[in-house]
Amino acid sequence: MDRLTKLGGAVAVFIGLITGIGFISKPEQAQRPNILYILADDLGYGDVSVYNPGGQISTPAIDKLAAEGMRFTDAHSPSSVCTPTRYALLTGRYPWRSRLPVGVLRGYSRTLIERDRPTVASLLKQNGYRTAVIGKWHLGLDWVLKRGNEQLLATENYGIKTEMDTALIDFSKNPAQGPATAGFDYSYILPASLDMPPYCYLENQKLTQQPTAYTKGNKLESGYTGPFWREGKMAPSFDFYDVLPTFIQKANAFLKQQKADKPFFLYLPLAAPHTPWVPKKEYTGKSKAGEYGDFVQQVDAAVGEVLRTLESSGLADNTVVMFASDNGPYWRENFVKQFNHKAAGGFRGMKGDAFEGGHRIPLIVRWPGKVKAGSVSNATTTLANLMATCKDILGSPNGIYTPEDSYSILPVLLGETEQVANQPAVVHSSSIGFYAIRKGDWKLIEGLGSGGFTEPKELKPQVGDPIGQLYNLATDPAESQNLYVQNPEKVNELTRLLTAIKQSKTRLTRDH
């Protein structure tokens, strides 16, 4: 054999080895996981049976998800009402940093997320994900004004703190901002809560049907419970009872379209079990907690349906599934007594409150092969941590996706740490603007009263009385003993830290 033949053979072997190595190593490279984020609306910590086995509601699908993943016992919504939490979830910024520091948007409100604001969706889209939102948006839409009214747009925060005048909106034109400008490739949404007009759907920011019909409202005397909704414009074919099934149908259709060669992010913010409590007939009487409990059980079945679609599509093994609620339940004390069901678990208060019942929520994460099945984490975390967690999963170095208030929970999910690294504290805001800060076992509430829907909402301190509330949640999870006067050093410490976080323009660390 001559030298040329030998050399050619050696080259062929060398090329074969390189090709073989490349062929072998390719499937070993970390494949970017799909992300499915299911956000229930007003679902309480105690409404999920794995969190509250003694409750009057059964949630087998959500319980099964917990058995297959990690269940958090100390997770919190950044706010105890809808819009602010959704802003924080998608931007990684506490909601009081937005143009609406207190309160919620309505159906005719303009977009709260600024056009150039980085979001979880834009982060994932930049990294090759197909991004979609299906469900309750409640972050505003830039409805187009009729000709001659454009000067209103120059008004600072127009359509944010008060709604746009519906008589001035041109519904024949697509809203100028919304999910698409927040990073979503596809959207099928309800503008706001299911009890707020306009009652209609928009697909890719285009109305599926013009809101030419009108409803006088329903159960307006019920105190925001039962099948309650406000009067206002609606699409002629809109059916309140079909909203949850419609979102699940759209979510299933999206999942069936996905292929393994391109990852997806599906944000699925359900409009339930928020009012109106409208369970379908097949769920009526299924729980022992009235219309609300029946509606929760329908939500659970809906979650199960989506997860089965994910499984049958062959995508489940490479999908991170996250399930959470946007705040605590609207469940008054009379309902606790009537049904013997504690929707907020053993915690004080309800939706809107600075108390734990307003913002401590169920959070479950399943990631096959990464997150230990049946694990339970006591790490204190908040839904604002989604951005940093996704960035960590991707290994993205892009600095614009490092917002002020987001810290990765990936090490917790992987069992590497027990607490969220570097997170200096967790901050909550109530429906009327009370701030609460949590560090370790201690929680400080700036103000007296619930700060939300539980009476009394706000109390004026008397001479010699404390001006705020301090609780040790390790010994007093029900927040029954105010230790504000007895622990001035802890009050000062948490007050200083809260001030530092509120004033910061970048992320603080645990040892800031």
Side-chain angles (χ1 to χ4, degrees):
M1 184 180 294
D2 59 28
R3 289 182 62 192
L4 186 60
T5 303
K6 290 181 179 180
L7 180 60
V11 170
V13 171
F14 180 67
I15 292 173
L17 285 171
I18 292 176
T19 305
I21 291 170
F23 179 77
I24 293 169
S25 63
K26 192 170 182 179
E28 291 179 352
Q29 294 174 355
Q31 189 178 5
R32 293 169 298 169
N34 308 307
I35 300 172
L36 168 60
Y37 199 109
I38 305 173
L39 186 70
D41 193 3
D42 285 11
L43 182 75
Y45 186 97
D47 289 329
V48 179
S49 46
V50 71
Y51 283 92
N52 182 17
Q56 303 300 316
I57 299 174
S58 176
T59 55
I62 301 171
D63 294 354
K64 182 175 183 289
L65 185 67
E68 296 169 343
M70 178 176 286
R71 176 169 64 92
F72 286 80
T73 64
D74 199 5
H76 301 265
S77 57
S79 172
S80 50
V81 284
C82 302
T83 296
T85 284
R86 291 156 202 272
Y87 178 87
L89 188 153
L90 288 179
T91 67
R93 307 174 79 227
Y94 283 135
W96 36 264
R97 299 189 192 275
S98 76
R99 291 175 292 165
L100 187 70
V102 179
V104 301
L105 297 177
R106 299 283 179 154
Y108 301 109
S109 298
R110 299 182 77 228
T111 307
L112 187 60
I113 297 178
E114 305 85 348
R115 180 180 286 272
D116 298 322
R117 175 70 57 193
T119 67
V120 172
S122 63
L123 164 68
L124 293 168
K125 183 176 181 176
Q126 185 187 71
N127 282 272
Y129 280 67
R130 186 183 183 203
T131 58
V133 54
I134 297 170
K136 168 183 165 176
W137 181 237
H138 211 175
L139 283 166
L141 295 164
D142 276 17
W143 299 102
V144 174
L145 292 168
K146 292 178 180 176
R147 185 171 297 178
N149 297 286
E150 293 83 2
Q151 73 281 0
L152 291 172
L153 299 177
T155 306
E156 185 179 6
N157 290 336
Y158 172 70
I160 296 294
K161 295 185 178 179
T162 56
E163 285 188 285
M164 301 175 70
D165 183 346
T166 60
L168 303 181
I169 296 174
D170 185 348
F171 290 104
S172 70
K173 293 186 170 63
N174 298 346
Q177 288 194 66
T181 49
F184 289 100
D185 297 314
Y186 174 78
S187 61
Y188 190 95
I189 62 166
L190 182 74
S193 292
L194 189 50
D195 57 11
M196 296 178 179
Y199 303 112
C200 54
Y201 300 111
L202 294 95
E203 187 167 25
N204 293 328
Q205 288 183 208
K206 181 180 180 179
L207 284 161
T208 61
Q209 197 175 33
Q210 290 288 308
T212 55
Y214 196 86
T215 174
K216 293 181 179 179
N218 194 57
K219 294 292 182 181
L220 299 178
E221 76 292 344
S222 67
Y224 310 105
T225 63
F228 159 84
W229 64 79
R230 297 168 177 84
E231 68 171 317
K233 290 178 177 292
M234 64 186 295
S237 66
F238 192 87
D239 185 337
F240 291 86
Y241 287 81
D242 278 339
V243 171
L244 178 57
T246 296
F247 287 150
I248 299 307
Q249 178 187 1
K250 292 292 182 181
N252 286 338
F254 175 84
L255 291 174
K256 290 175 182 177
Q257 293 169 0
Q258 304 313 300
K259 305 298 182 184
D261 60 348
K262 184 177 178 68
F264 69 82
F265 168 52
L266 173 57
Y267 170 47
L268 182 58
L270 306 177
H274 191 292
T275 49
W277 299 340
V278 284
K280 300 283 273 187
K281 286 184 179 179
E282 57 265 38
Y283 295 97
T284 302
K286 292 297 184 182
S287 77
K288 297 179 182 178
E291 295 165 309
Y292 174 76
D294 297 346
F295 204 25
V296 171
Q297 294 204 184
Q298 184 176 340
V299 168
D300 179 76
V303 170
E305 187 177 342
V306 171
L307 295 179
R308 285 193 295 275
T309 300
L310 186 69
E311 188 74 37
S312 64
S313 300
L315 300 168
D317 286 346
N318 190 41
T319 300
V320 182
V321 177
M322 301 182 181
F323 174 85
S325 178
D326 65 344
N327 46 246
Y330 189 81
W331 193 247
R332 301 194 300 254
E333 188 60 32
N334 61 300
F335 291 138
V336 175
K337 295 176 181 177
Q338 179 181 353
F339 296 106
N340 191 30
H341 176 71
K342 296 181 178 180
F347 300 108
R348 184 180 182 182
M350 62 176 177
K351 174 182 177 177
D353 295 353
F355 297 133
E356 290 292 287
H359 53 77
R360 191 176 296 221
I361 53 167
L363 172 63
I364 297 167
V365 181
R366 185 186 76 185
W367 189 1
K370 299 286 187 179
V371 174
K372 183 180 178 182
S375 55
V376 178
S377 173
N378 298 320
T380 306
T381 186
T382 170
L383 299 189
N385 287 340
L386 178 61
M387 175 82 86
T389 304
C390 289
K391 188 171 181 286
D392 205 4
I393 289 172
L394 296 172
S396 171
N398 196 328
I400 71 167
Y401 295 104
T402 308
E404 298 95 322
D405 309 303
S406 194
Y407 299 83
S408 176
I409 67 169
L410 182 60
V412 176
L413 294 173
L414 299 180
E416 297 170 356
T417 60
E418 293 186 356
Q419 290 296 328
V420 180
N422 296 319
Q423 180 177 257
V426 165
V427 178
H428 321 290
S429 53
S430 76
S431 64
I432 66 171
F434 276 23
Y435 287 97
I437 182 168
R438 166 77 181 284
K439 181 181 180 183
D441 295 333
W442 292 94
K443 176 181 175 182
L444 174 73
I445 301 175
E446 289 193 323
L448 298 176
S450 74
F453 297 156
T454 300
E455 295 294 344
K457 295 181 179 181
E458 188 172 10
L459 294 171
K460 300 296 183 183
Q462 302 299 311
V463 177
D465 285 349
I467 61 172
Q469 302 170 69
L470 179 71
Y471 299 104
N472 186 319
L473 296 180
T475 58
D476 182 24
E479 297 170 287
S480 60
Q481 187 178 5
N482 186 0
L483 302 175
Y484 193 96
V485 173
Q486 296 94 318
N487 294 271
E489 291 184 1
K490 183 60 66 174
V491 169
N492 291 335
E493 175 196 343
L494 294 177
T495 300
R496 287 194 301 269
L497 180 55
L498 178 58
T499 299
I501 292 172
K502 290 195 310 190
Q503 294 178 348
S504 66
K505 301 300 182 183
T506 58
R507 288 201 324 168
L508 298 179
T509 62
R510 193 185 302 275
D511 301 316
H512 79 283

